[in-house]
Amino acid sequence: MKSKLVILSLMLAGAASTMTAQTKEKFVSESWKDNFFISAGVGGQVCVNPDNSDYGLGHAITPLIHVSVGKLFTPTWGVRGQVAGLWSTLYSKYGQPAGTYNEIKNKKYFTLRADAMYNVSNAIWGYNPERLFNFSVFAGPGLTFAKTYGKQDKLDALINGSVGLMGQFNINKYIDINIEARGEVMPSMFGKASSAYTDGAVSLTAGVTYTFGGKNFVPYIAKLDVDALNDEINKYRSELAQAQAD
């Protein structure tokens, strides 16, 4: 009888430890209000256009600013909306005299982006709120608004797409320092002044992210798993109580 009592006690302890172990596998936001963030960054970008490539991309580097608002659903997945822009430069080869690059086009613009973000560090090594550095990738569509050269300065909305890499230094539960690199492609905003129909843009920025209320993720157990474990535990408890009575 004592052996049966010991076996049932061990089974009960094993079931409880299994439940505890499973809570470490997945983390979610405790409330829909958790893990909203705002970020801002500054840096530079270059318009990757054949004209600029011929003249020298280094001459076409311009400043860039961006502001983002987003939410992390899990430590791995999140989304954000971003407003970015300032101006872009083209050294057109359609200058005077012909064949020179003395015609410079500075185009003021702004871009609206929607990014899906994937935290590679948390996906591979698991969520660790104390980790100093996290590496993420992001991608998404956008709309660039600019007055296109040669169309009586009509404001056009140009569909674009971009992908990027982001490194985040974890200062505390509220603040991260970000470094972002992004590559983007869209129809050329320079119109007839450009020898290409499509422009690319490569940017590098540094900034800061503030998470409202701090990053807050809690362990998650699927309801079916909890019910199954509870049933097993109740079964063992009943058998243990019967064994003690016997």
Side-chain angles (χ1 to χ4, degrees), residues 221-232:
I221 304 176
K223 185 178 185 304
L224 292 178
D225 294 341
V226 172
D227 291 342
L229 287 170
N230 284 336
D231 290 343
E232 287 295 317

Side-chain angles (χ1 to χ4, degrees), residues 137-149:
V137 296
F138 57 86
L143 278 177
T144 296
F145 296 89
K147 291 182 178 180
T148 302
Y149 179 78

